[in-house]
Amino acid sequence: YSLAQVQKSLARIQVLGYDQKMDVYGSLRVTPVSSGYCLGSSNWVITSDHEKITYVSGSSTLTTHPRPMDQASLKHSNVLILTALTQTPIANPDSMLGELCMTVASTIRNNGSVLIPCYASGTVYDLFECLSTHLDNVNLANVPMFFISPVADTSIAYSNILAEWLSQAKQNKVYLPEEPFPHAQLIKSGRLKHFKHIYDEGFSNDFRQPCVVFCGHPSLRFGDAVHFVEMWASNPQHTIIFTEPDFAHLEALAPFQPVAMKALHCPIDTSLNYNQANKLIRELKPQHLVLPECYTLPPANFPLRLDLVVSKEQIIGDRKQVAAPAILPVRRGEVHKLPVRCAKAQVQLDPELARQLVPVEGKTGVGVCSVTGRLTVKDNKFVLQSLKPEDDVASTSSGLTRLRNPGEPMRNLQYEYGPLGIDQFVQRLNQEGISDAKIEPHKNGYIIHLQEHDTLIQIDDNLTHIYCGV
């Protein structure tokens, strides 16, 4: 694709901020909320007037640099769609990070350099912070770190100015003002140097060993990481550390074999693990749960680890939760109809019509009145408006009203509601010439017998039955 085609496609994308609501053709409202995984990562809340669907993508409940996960907005949904759980369920991110730091220090002490194939954003910000702190503590503060990526400049700049996406502690630094990330100070002091590529002006002059190099791509199929693997592969003093869980490290290194440099697999995946996912489901309390089928089965490498699944029976302590959500497992390529049915719609009352209403108090704090109006539907929004003069009930030339034709509006109609007054009802019957009405009490109301008309009228609290020809 050409650059113009890419830009034309991107121009169709509408960018939203956290908690910003967007109306979709009047039918739905979508809202992104922080997922806590990386800068800008979001979960989505999709709502109509009375229904709610939540989509949980890559999320994390750990305390790192992004804004914490917003769980309150995800609660009590009709359907929760759960995806992107951890790819390394038995690897603890904190343990992996500690092992990485110790390996880097050990390699540098042996006069070797370290290559960390990574993405240009995300976990790399935490690696800058933790690794620089560890090197300071072991008296290796003079070791340079190099960040090489076509978007290295942009990545570092955006991480320092997008305060909306940061944790509260880092947001506070922005407003002081201070740089929210330690890597800004590392760059000023010259410990961290960033370049677009290895052929960038000044890289050859600044590059020295031993060092730590962060560059892409984690697959080792393209990017400047390929150059460093080819340059250091034959030296056992150097180390390559794989931190991204998206790629198998042995497959990544396969084209470069034989490799003498040390290879370490330290996958740092801060996504929700299965314990965290089960806890999250209990707290969010969805009615239905949609998730990949593989999340309901133990991993192929650990078939007996039943703790590495999303449990179909949510557990609280030693007791099973009664109101566990109904689980709908799905497979790749399958199409499912979500168990959500729109049973109600919201109707807005036009201000002009509202001014004409005179509510009567039905009970304390509740007013009741009948409404006749014109219901208009536009952009999936319902509005009840006042009838216009031409909307009167049609009348004949003799002045008598006739039945409405289908589609004709109603006007000046009366709606009966509330309990039926027996005395008033009998009086109205007398006015109509029916004077033989006999009233008998009934357990739920009254029975009125009209002898001349051979008719019984049974009046209950909520129903009225008329029996003719009895």
Side-chain angles (χ1 to χ4, degrees):
Y1 298 97
S2 66
L3 181 59
Q5 289 174 319
V6 173
Q7 292 175 341
K8 185 177 180 180
S9 296
L10 293 177
R12 301 175 182 270
I13 298 175
Q14 182 166 343
V15 180
L16 300 180
Y18 284 151
D19 304 316
Q20 180 181 349
K21 292 179 173 61
M22 179 180 178
D23 185 85
V24 181
Y25 300 115
S27 295
L28 301 171
R29 288 168 295 281
V30 296
T31 308
V33 296
S34 176
S35 72
Y37 179 66
C38 63
L39 294 182
S41 62
S42 301
N43 294 324
W44 293 86
V45 180
I46 306 170
T47 58
S48 62
D49 292 333
H50 300 280
E51 292 77 31
K52 178 178 179 181
I53 297 175
T54 51
Y55 177 78
V56 175
S57 58
S59 303
S60 177
T61 57
L62 302 179
T63 302
T64 55
H65 63 272
R67 182 172 171 176
M69 180 181 180
D70 182 356
Q71 299 185 27
S73 300
L74 306 175
K75 289 185 176 181
H76 306 294
S77 61
N78 298 95
V79 176
L80 168 64
I81 304 175
L82 181 65
T83 64
L85 297 186
T86 179
Q87 302 178 66
T88 57
I90 62 170
N92 184 292
D94 292 333
S95 300
M96 294 294 101
L97 186 58
E99 186 175 355
L100 179 146
C101 291
M102 290 188 293
T103 302
V104 170
S106 175
T107 301
I108 292 174
R109 285 197 181 99
N110 292 327
N111 204 34
S113 295
V114 179
L115 172 63
I116 303 179
C118 60
Y119 295 115
S121 64
T123 309
V124 68
Y125 301 132
D126 295 311
L127 293 180
F128 290 154
E129 183 172 350
C130 296
L131 186 56
S132 61
T133 302
H134 181 75
L135 294 178
D136 288 343
N137 295 335
V138 295
N139 298 320
L140 293 174
N142 60 337
V143 175
M145 295 188 293
F146 297 94
F147 181 33
I148 306 173
S149 169
V151 293
D153 297 348
T154 306
S155 175
I156 289 175
Y158 270 77
S159 67
N160 285 326
I161 63 176
L162 294 177
E164 175 196 9
W165 295 349
L166 300 177
S167 63
Q168 189 61 49
K170 293 194 180 324
Q171 283 188 25
N172 294 338
K173 290 185 178 181
V174 172
Y175 300 124
L176 283 178
E178 292 180 4
E179 291 87 354
F181 287 96
H183 60 243
Q185 186 59 39
L186 295 175
I187 293 173
K188 290 180 180 180
S189 64
R191 289 183 60 186
L192 176 63
K193 300 179 183 295
H194 55 93
F195 301 91
K196 290 187 176 181
H197 46 72
I198 57 175
Y199 306 106
D200 206 354
E201 183 178 357
F203 176 75
S204 297
N205 295 331
D206 291 336
F207 184 74
R208 61 184 176 86
Q209 303 185 62
C211 63
V212 181
V213 177
F214 300 88
C215 63
H217 185 266
S219 66
L220 299 186
R221 295 300 180 266
F222 60 93
D224 291 312
V226 175
H227 170 82
F228 286 100
V229 173
E230 292 176 341
M231 183 172 66
W232 292 342
S234 60
N235 190 337
Q237 290 182 305
H238 302 307
T239 301
I240 180 171
I241 303 177
F242 293 89
T243 61
E244 300 294 345
D246 297 338
F247 304 96
H249 69 291
L250 295 179
E251 293 182 8
L253 281 174
F256 304 96
Q257 296 294 347
V259 175
M261 69 187 302
K262 293 183 287 292
L264 180 66
H265 187 222
C266 289
I268 301 176
D269 190 350
T270 59
S271 301
L272 295 173
N273 60 34
Y274 289 94
N275 288 332
Q276 293 167 341
N278 284 319
K279 182 176 182 293
L280 182 67
I281 294 169
R282 290 196 298 268
E283 294 175 349
L284 299 186
K285 299 178 181 178
Q287 295 178 7
H288 299 84
L289 175 63
V290 180
L291 75 173
E293 186 182 44
C294 60
Y295 292 167
T296 63
L297 304 171
N301 296 337
F302 307 96
L304 301 180
R305 292 290 300 272
L306 298 180
D307 57 320
L308 302 181
V309 298
V310 173
S311 176
K312 294 183 180 180
E313 295 179 332
Q314 296 299 318
I315 307 297
I316 299 180
D318 297 328
R319 297 181 302 171
K320 294 180 180 179
Q321 180 176 338
V322 177
I327 295 182
L328 176 62
V330 297
R331 298 178 182 178
R332 181 185 295 272
E334 290 183 343
V335 177
H336 289 265
K337 185 176 181 179
L338 295 180
V340 178
R341 182 176 178 271
C342 185
K344 299 179 181 178
Q346 188 177 53
V347 179
Q348 296 180 354
L349 195 62
D350 183 73
E352 181 182 350
L353 178 59
R355 284 193 294 269
Q356 301 172 10
L357 302 181
V358 183
V360 177
E361 188 174 30
K363 62 179 181 179
T364 304
V366 178
V368 180
C369 67
S370 60
V371 180
T372 301
R374 174 192 292 269
L375 183 65
T376 61
V377 183
K378 183 178 181 181
D379 295 333
N380 290 309
K381 294 183 178 180
F382 299 84
V383 180
L384 190 60
Q385 299 174 327
S386 299
L387 292 177
K388 299 177 181 178
E390 60 268 22
D391 293 334
D392 281 323
V393 174
S395 56
T396 63
S397 57
S398 61
L400 299 175
T401 59
R402 61 172 173 80
L403 295 176
R404 293 181 303 109
N405 293 323
E408 282 187 306
M410 296 183 297
R411 186 178 178 86
N412 297 330
L413 298 182
Q414 292 183 349
Y415 303 93
E416 305 295 343
Y417 55 85
L420 178 63
I422 296 298
D423 294 338
Q424 184 179 6
F425 179 58
V426 172
Q427 291 177 6
R428 294 293 299 271
L429 289 176
N430 289 328
Q431 293 175 7
E432 297 294 333
I434 304 174
S435 59
D436 61 339
K438 291 186 178 181
I439 304 174
E440 298 178 8
H442 183 60
K443 64 177 181 178
N444 294 323
Y446 298 91
I447 295 178
I448 301 176
H449 187 197
L450 308 180
Q451 297 179 357
E452 291 186 8
H453 297 80
D454 199 17
T455 300
L456 280 179
I457 303 175
Q458 181 179 331
I459 301 172
D460 294 335
D461 291 339
N462 300 313
L463 295 172
T464 300
H465 298 278
I466 301 176
Y467 302 95
C468 299
V470 296

